[in-house]
């Protein structure tokens, strides 16, 4: 089995010991991704901005893997405050308009209190 690891330069990847994505056997597994702007290492306060940043990071990892958001088949959304989740609906609806993946929203605490959403996806290589 051929396995390729994709890194995005996030300091968390090295500190915690994970890859942003792993490509294996025609699949792309993208780790839970939060809303950091990795260029500035800042986290927006608004959940929708965090959602956009997370999807941009995921999209870049998928592109490097040879896939895209349009090839996502499974997505998990993790939010500490489920009441804020509907604010993200327009963002995720637009991002996954083509793929329309199977999806789950989970309410759980995240690593840092500033984190308002974490998104994990599984995609196919086209």
């Amino acid at each position: 089995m051929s396995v390729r690891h994709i890194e995005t330069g996030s300091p968390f990847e090295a500190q915690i010991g994970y890859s942003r994505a792993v490509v294996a056997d025609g699949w792309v597994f993208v780790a839970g991704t939060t809303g950091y702007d990795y260029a500035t290492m800042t986290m927006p306060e608004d959940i929708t901005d965090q959602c956009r940043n997370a999807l941009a990071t995921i999209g870049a990892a998928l592109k490097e893997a040879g896939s895209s958001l349009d090839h996502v088949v499974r997505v998990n959304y993790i939010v500490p405050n489920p009441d804020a989740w509907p604010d993200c609906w327009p963002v995720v609806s637009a991002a996954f308009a083509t793929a329309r993946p199977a999806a789950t929203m989970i309410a759980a605490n995240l690593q840092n209190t500033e984190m308002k959403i974490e998104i994990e996806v599984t995609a196919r290589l086209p």
Side-chain angles (χ1 to χ4, degrees), residues 79-105:
V79 296
N81 176 7
D83 293 336
W85 167 233
D87 293 344
C88 293
W89 292 358
V91 177
V92 299
S93 177
F96 296 116
T98 298
R100 298 183 50 87
T104 300
M105 189 283 291

Side-chain angles (χ1 to χ4, degrees), residues 21-121:
V22 176
V23 183
D25 292 336
W27 293 97
V28 185
F29 303 93
V30 182
T33 303
T34 61
Y36 278 105
D37 175 340
Y38 289 111
T40 62
M41 280 311 293
T42 58
M43 178 72 78
E45 287 188 31
D46 184 71
I47 190 172
T48 56
D49 291 336
Q50 288 189 24
C51 185
R52 282 186 196 92
N53 283 357
L55 289 168
T57 300
I58 290 167
L62 289 170
K63 182 177 181 181
E64 185 173 337
S67 190
S68 73
L69 292 174
D70 290 346
H71 296 96
V72 171
V73 297
R74 180 82 172 124
V75 60
N76 289 311
Y77 303 102
I78 306 159
V79 296
N81 176 7
D83 293 336
W85 167 233
D87 293 344
C88 293
W89 292 358
V91 177
V92 299
S93 177
F96 296 116
T98 298
R100 298 183 50 87
T104 300
M105 189 283 291
I106 302 163
N109 290 331
L110 299 178
Q111 183 171 312
N112 298 328
T113 56
E114 67 185 350
M115 296 172 176
K116 296 181 179 173
I117 188 165
E118 185 168 344
I119 304 171
E120 171 190 55
V121 306

